[in-house]
Amino acid sequence: LKQGAVIASDETGLRVAKKNTWLWVFHDGPTAVFLANQSRAKAVVEDFLGDWRPDYWISDRYGGQAGWAQKGHQYCLAHLIRDTRYQMEAGDTIIAPAFLGLLKRACAIGRRRGELDEAQLKAHRVKLVGRLSRILTRTPDSDAGRKMIKIINKTRRHLFVFITNRALSATNNGSERALRPCAVYRKITNGFRSEWAASLYANTRSVIETGRRRSVRAIDAIRLTLSGNPIPGLA
């Protein structure tokens, strides 16, 4: 995982010995690593990375996952779209609707990147940034609108990193999909009785998810790992 230039991450709740803990996922392309930890703090990411830092990071807006990339951090636009809709429901009719349209436009451009060359992508990014600046000149007439302005100002430099970087996605859906089986497992079993069991589960999920991404059956990925052999990469 640390041989690449991008890391995406997320975390979900985990029950261990009747206590609330966390299951983290760090992934990119054909590799995924899960970690069970009692903390949701930045120290978890720091311990995982050591002295190494990726060029780019994809995550939601949680502060524990921010500040690790050397070149750029892409915030999940799906989360921002959800939060923007919430502000619209809270009464913002000036800022949030315009911002929602901008986010949807950015996602649409991201889906079309295969049809666009580098110059076109740069032009689209300039237009998106200009449109965002015009939104910020509007005057909100509600608390929800003022809160929306604060959200935009805090996130604006992390909104369109993916437009000109094809290795990045507009959303953190890859992390959500990786954690979905873990969330289902938690609901069915209500967690683990001991920390070693949670750690074993995280290790097993790392092997199975990495195998899935490399088109290797779960049982074969487990057998390779237990025999000390790496899971083969995609041809």
Side-chain angles (χ1 to χ4, degrees):
L1 184 61
K2 292 181 181 180
Q3 291 176 356
V6 181
I7 280 187
S9 67
D10 203 356
E11 78 289 326
T12 189
L14 194 68
R15 290 284 291 175
V16 179
K18 297 183 180 181
K19 296 181 180 179
N20 292 325
T21 60
W22 300 93
L23 182 70
W24 292 74
V25 64
F26 303 92
H27 69 96
D28 178 47
T31 305
V33 177
F34 292 78
L35 294 176
N37 199 289
Q38 295 181 356
S39 174
R40 197 191 178 205
K42 297 186 74 168
V44 178
V45 185
E46 187 174 19
D47 290 343
F48 173 71
L49 294 179
D51 295 330
W52 178 80
R53 296 292 182 269
D55 289 337
Y56 296 94
W57 201 284
I58 305 171
S59 74
D60 57 27
R61 291 184 288 136
Y62 170 53
Q65 301 178 82
W68 304 105
Q70 297 187 91
K71 295 183 179 180
H73 191 133
Q74 175 63 50
Y75 281 166
C76 177
L77 297 194
H79 281 79
L80 277 166
I81 287 173
R82 179 195 64 192
D83 293 345
T84 301
R85 284 174 172 158
Y86 175 80
Q87 297 306 324
M88 291 173 63
E89 294 173 359
D92 179 16
T93 61
I94 296 177
I95 307 299
F99 187 54
L100 179 62
L102 178 65
L103 295 178
K104 288 183 175 181
R105 173 61 177 163
C107 290
I109 294 171
R111 290 191 292 269
R112 294 177 50 229
R113 281 185 302 185
E115 309 167 9
L116 305 173
D117 59 29
E118 301 305 318
Q120 289 173 316
L121 290 176
K122 289 179 181 179
H124 277 301
R125 182 171 181 177
V126 170
K127 291 179 181 178
L128 291 170
V129 172
R131 184 172 166 183
L132 179 63
S133 297
R134 290 191 293 274
I135 291 174
L136 290 172
T137 63
R138 300 185 179 190
T139 302
D141 62 352
S142 65
D143 290 340
R146 285 183 281 273
K147 184 175 181 179
M148 196 73 248
I149 289 288
K150 291 181 180 179
I151 292 174
I152 295 174
N153 282 324
K154 191 174 181 179
T155 62
R156 61 182 304 175
R157 66 190 182 97
H158 305 299
L159 297 178
F160 308 127
V161 181
F162 77 99
I163 294 290
T164 52
N165 189 326
R166 299 177 190 272
L168 305 180
S169 61
T171 71
N172 198 25
N173 288 345
S175 298
E176 301 281 351
R177 288 192 296 268
L179 287 172
R180 189 170 296 124
C182 308
V184 173
Y185 187 86
R186 179 189 66 224
K187 292 177 180 178
I188 293 173
T189 66
N190 200 33
F192 304 90
R193 294 183 181 182
S194 61
E195 291 184 12
W196 75 261
S199 179
L200 175 61
Y201 175 77
N203 292 339
T204 304
R205 283 304 313 166
S206 299
V207 172
I208 293 174
E209 178 64 19
T210 298
R212 184 191 69 80
R213 295 176 178 216
R214 301 183 184 194
S215 299
V216 177
R217 295 187 310 163
I219 187 64
D220 293 332
I222 292 172
R223 284 171 174 163
L224 286 167
T225 302
L226 291 178
S227 64
N229 296 311
I231 301 172
L234 296 171

